[in-house]
């Protein structure tokens, strides 16, 4: 493994932000991580003594915003491989390396008729990051198909297996985003996929798209294609316009607060979130504040979806971050609702 110095990260984040990492190294097996942590002081502690913000585990770079050069070591996960570990009457258990591209994994499942991830088609990034924020789309979340994951504790140099409960999944949340931030490298994820599909087409425009493409008999290939079509029409291709998907989470507020908002803003877009809470469409709130299509320099708010912040070319991470601050403030002023960022700010 070659440790590179002063390494450009522009090609390693979907925002296309031009920053540099002090050190950068790729690894393709757990043994290689072990070797790195045994032999390189860099991984054990920063020169200033801090251990957390000095290391960054990198997948596809599709859920982060670099606001400055990274004054530490970037560990690029390149562990590949997909294998079937076991099966029972109803399920097939598939383990994928953390460095496998997520959509390639989805396509592998679809080719083999393993059901459960079709609604999660075309999400950028790698398998290893999928449990980080419990990725979700079109009424499905990774937790619905999650079986277990294997991870490596960098400082303790120990391997650990995490069960579903231990991951503490929530809406775009997991234990790895909070309590264990930057402590574990996820090395593989195992999924529990159905042999007989349970179709989920009630969300968004899936049904409409299936009709449009003339699907008569429902199957996971068709659902995946419908999701791909919808996503391609709504979201900017990050290879052309830098972005990290939804920049903000949909805020959840108590039902009482929602009733009060609804009296004032009759068109407010919302969904139930359990018994006591309502989830608001953050995109709608942002749009109402006039941000949709806004552009300052190369930083902007996407013309077709206000939830997506974009880099039209040479925006800095700081400019995009500042725009997100202004959006949060104006939503707060108009609706008294606090938006939280979904994207990791580095
Ligand atoms: C166009 C577009 C559309 C998107 N749509 C969706 C969507 O529909 N739903 C959704 O949930 N997300 C969506 N996203 C966000 C993103 O694709 C997901 O969050 C994805 O899982 C990030 O994967 P990644 O490999 O790129 O992670 P990275 O951006 O590289 O990393 C994200 C975080 O995870 C950590 N991390 C990464 N890999 C590991 C590992 N192996 N071990 C430990 N920590 C790790 C990083 O340190 C960082 O904190 C979208 C992004 C884009 C650009």
């Amino acid at each position: 493994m070659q440790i590179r110095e002063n390494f450009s990260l522009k090609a390693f984040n979907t925002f296309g932000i031009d920053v540099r990492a002090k050190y950068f190294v790729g690894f393709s097996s757990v043994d290689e991580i072990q070797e790195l942590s045994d032999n390189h002081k860099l991984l054990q502690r920063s020169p200033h003594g801090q251990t957390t913000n000095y290391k960054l585990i990198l997948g596809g770079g599709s859920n982060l915003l670099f606001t400055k050069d990274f004054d530490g070591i970037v560990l690029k996960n390149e562990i590949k491989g997909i294998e079937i570990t076991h099966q029972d009457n109803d399920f097939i258990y598939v383990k994928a390396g953390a460095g496998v591209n997520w959509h390639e994994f989805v396509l592998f499942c679809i080719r083999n008729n393993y059901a459960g991830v079709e609604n999660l088609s075309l999400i950028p990034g790698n398998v290893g990051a999928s449990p980080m924020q419990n990725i979700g789309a079109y009424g499905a979340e990774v937790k619905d198909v999650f079986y277990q994951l294997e991870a490596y504790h960098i400082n303790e140099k120990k391997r650990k297996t995490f069960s579903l409960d231990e991951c503490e999944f929530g809406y775009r949340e997991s234990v790895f985003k909070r309590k264990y931030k930057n402590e574990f490298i996820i090395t593989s994820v195992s999924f529990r996929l159905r042999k007989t599909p349970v179709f989920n087409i009630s969300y968004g425009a899936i049904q409409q798209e299936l009709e449009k493409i003339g699907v008569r008999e429902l199957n996971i290939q068709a659902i995946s294609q419908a999701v791909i079509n919808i996503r391609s029409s709504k979201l900017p291709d990050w290879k052309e316009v830098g972005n990290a998907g939804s920049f903000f989470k949909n805020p959840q507020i108590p039902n009482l607060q929602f009733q009060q908002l609804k009296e004032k803003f009759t068109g407010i877009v919302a969904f139930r979130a359990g018994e006591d809470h309502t989830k608001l469409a953050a995109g709608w709130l942002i749009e109402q504040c006039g941000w949709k299509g806004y552009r300052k320099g190369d930083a902007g708010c996407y013309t077709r979806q206000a939830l997506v912040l974009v880099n039209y070319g040479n925006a800095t991470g700081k400019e995009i971050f500042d725009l997100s601050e202004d959006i949060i403030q104006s939503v707060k002023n108009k609706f008294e609702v606090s938006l939280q960022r979904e994207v990791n700010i580095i």
Side-chain angles (χ1 to χ4, degrees):
M1 284 160 292
Q2 193 193 354
I3 299 187
R4 297 159 193 248
E5 288 187 38
N6 194 26
F7 186 79
S8 170
L9 297 173
K10 189 171 164 62
F12 292 86
N13 69 100
T14 59
F15 258 120
I17 303 293
D18 196 6
V19 289
R20 288 182 173 268
K22 192 164 185 183
Y23 304 104
F24 181 98
V25 64
F27 57 89
S28 48
S29 68
V30 182
D31 289 344
E32 284 191 354
I33 308 170
Q34 200 134 20
E35 194 190 318
L36 272 168
S37 44
D38 283 344
N39 299 330
H40 290 277
K41 285 201 178 71
L42 284 177
L43 241 68
Q44 288 147 18
R45 191 163 286 275
S46 84
H48 316 295
Q50 86 268 27
T51 48
T52 46
N53 295 330
Y54 187 67
K55 296 187 265 288
L56 175 72
I57 303 135
L58 185 66
S62 64
N63 197 25
L64 36 83
L65 175 69
F66 289 110
T67 52
K68 52 183 182 300
D69 286 338
F70 188 72
D71 184 29
I73 183 158
V74 171
L75 302 158
K76 172 89 173 88
N77 196 321
E78 287 161 358
I79 301 175
K80 302 286 186 203
I82 301 179
E83 61 171 307
I84 290 150
T85 54
H86 58 291
Q87 52 184 303
D88 53 34
N89 283 345
D90 299 322
F91 296 100
I92 187 122
Y93 296 78
V94 183
K95 176 174 161 178
V100 171
N101 174 273
W102 172 261
H103 186 58
E104 277 170 26
F105 169 70
V106 171
L107 293 178
F108 167 88
C109 296
I110 286 168
R111 266 198 311 277
N112 290 287
N113 259 318
Y114 307 152
V117 284
E118 54 281 0
N119 291 45
L120 301 175
S121 297
L122 212 62
I123 297 180
N126 292 350
V127 164
S130 63
M132 283 295 297
Q133 70 153 6
N134 178 28
I135 57 167
Y138 296 93
E141 285 181 324
V142 122
K143 74 168 173 46
D144 306 334
V145 288
F146 180 90
Y147 177 54
Q148 62 180 34
L149 66 77
E150 286 165 14
Y152 181 80
H153 194 288
I154 308 173
N155 290 345
E156 290 176 7
K157 301 187 191 177
K158 274 191 199 143
R159 297 176 193 215
K160 176 167 165 54
T161 302
F162 284 84
S163 66
L164 178 67
D165 284 348
E166 285 172 312
C167 290
E168 295 176 21
F169 288 126
Y171 166 57
R172 300 296 174 272
E173 280 294 350
S174 76
V175 75
F176 303 102
K177 233 178 146 173
R178 287 173 270 122
K179 190 160 71 180
Y180 294 144
K181 198 172 164 68
N182 284 334
E183 284 190 28
F184 282 95
I185 298 181
I186 296 168
T187 54
S188 70
V189 185
S190 296
F191 301 91
R192 186 170 164 266
L193 299 155
R194 286 184 185 278
K195 290 181 172 175
T196 308
V198 174
F199 302 121
N200 175 2
I201 57 163
S202 57
Y203 203 90
I206 301 186
Q207 179 98 56
Q208 243 175 307
E209 186 62 28
L210 287 167
E211 280 164 25
K212 198 168 137 195
I213 55 181
V215 173
R216 296 238 172 89
E217 208 177 315
L218 210 48
N219 56 68
I220 58 171
Q221 289 80 3
I223 295 177
S224 170
Q225 193 54 56
V227 169
I228 290 172
N229 293 357
I230 302 167
R231 291 184 69 98
S232 311
S233 70
K234 277 174 59 173
L235 290 168
D237 180 352
W238 59 267
K239 289 177 199 121
E240 285 160 25
V241 183
N243 76 92
S246 303
F247 199 91
F248 305 97
K249 295 186 196 179
N250 290 320
Q252 302 198 35
I253 58 169
N255 291 342
L256 185 63
Q257 188 185 354
F258 173 64
Q259 286 313 326
Q260 289 162 349
L261 272 178
K262 207 175 166 197
E263 280 167 27
K264 231 172 136 188
F265 305 98
T266 44
I268 193 162
V269 181
F271 320 89
R272 273 183 73 105
E275 285 292 296
D276 311 322
H277 283 77
T278 302
K279 198 187 267 185
L280 305 179
W284 186 88
L285 300 174
I286 297 168
E287 201 176 331
Q288 297 306 303
C289 294
W291 290 104
K292 195 174 180 183
Y294 173 88
R295 176 171 178 171
K296 185 178 176 193
D298 274 350
C301 185
Y302 190 50
T303 43
R304 274 184 271 166
Q305 169 55 274
L307 203 48
V308 178
L309 300 191
V310 290
N311 174 10
Y312 286 106
N314 293 311
T316 63
K318 170 87 170 51
E319 284 166 342
I320 290 169
F321 179 80
D322 288 348
L323 172 59
S324 75
E325 284 281 284
D326 291 346
I327 291 174
I328 290 172
Q329 198 52 56
S330 71
V331 168
K332 180 88 188 155
N333 292 346
K334 191 171 172 103
F335 298 102
E336 287 187 45
V337 169
S338 302
L339 289 183
Q340 307 288 325
R341 294 181 185 86
E342 182 178 315
V343 169
N344 297 279
I345 308 297
I346 312 285

